[in-house]
Amino acid sequence: MKSLVILISGRGSNMQALIEARLPLKIAAVISNKPDAAGLEIAKQHGVETRVVDHRAYPDREAFDAALVETIDHFHPDLVALAGFMRILGDGFVNHYQGRLMNIHPSLLPAFPGLDTHARALREGVKTHGCTVHFVTPQLDHGPIIIQATVPVLPDDTKQTLEARVLQQEHRIYPQAVRWFAEGKLKLSANRVEILETATAANADANTTSHSPKSHA
Ligand code: GRF
């Protein structure tokens, strides 16, 4: 069975969704850069090993990245999933996990990379917003897209109501993307991700989009 390490910085609701989805891969550890991340407790309650690599203990990003790599690689994961991990990772780190480092971002990339996506979406007046799971490349919030889900932006939305609607979809598509990885169904070529078999419930949902050649559903 393949194994997964999840990196968090805070609340950990996406991490929780990954743990509770009972995916066909072992969740080897949850690692946080913040000792007080709420997600660490949730992971422990689920019997998942946890580690803290506190970025404040390192003089620079290179030293922090190196310590993080060492902690992650101790578990020999096939996949590393960033789930609300709020540190920018250096090119060396990203290249070390090339093709096996995923991120979830709360917008329809390439729109709204970076922070505060929901407020920015409201300011721009977009009618459709959403979330994206992608493989990580050195460019921030960029990289081959695995799956996206859309939500409508409603006239009376605040950034809180919009965030909640998007988060519901995050909790659905991140486990789906990791499941595909666990089952060996993701084929990465250049900047595109092909899903080798698409007979899945998530893919049949109207508000989910992924690059799928043919549906067997
Ligand atoms: C999520 O919106 C995720 O997309 C973004 O940070 C947030 C983390 O939330 N990268 P949680 O810690 O998973 O609850």
Side-chain angles (χ1 to χ4, degrees), residues 137-176:
T137 57
Q139 198 182 335
L140 181 69
D141 295 329
H142 207 265
I145 291 171
I146 299 163
I147 186 169
Q148 295 182 300
T150 60
V151 302
V153 179
L154 303 178
D156 55 354
D157 262 335
T158 60
K159 73 177 192 179
Q160 286 80 11
T161 58
L162 186 55
E163 179 189 356
R165 194 175 307 121
V166 171
L167 195 60
Q168 266 191 343
Q169 296 302 316
E170 294 185 35
H171 296 165
R172 192 173 62 81
I173 67 170
Y174 213 177
Q176 175 63 75

Side-chain angles (χ1 to χ4, degrees), residues 105-141:
H105 183 75
S107 78
L108 293 171
L109 291 174
F112 309 122
L115 297 174
D116 216 15
T117 54
H118 308 302
R120 286 157 64 206
L122 288 176
R123 264 201 309 275
E124 294 294 340
V126 298
K127 302 294 185 196
T128 302
H129 188 41
C131 47
T132 303
V133 179
H134 64 99
F135 282 115
V136 176
T137 57
Q139 198 182 335
L140 181 69
D141 295 329

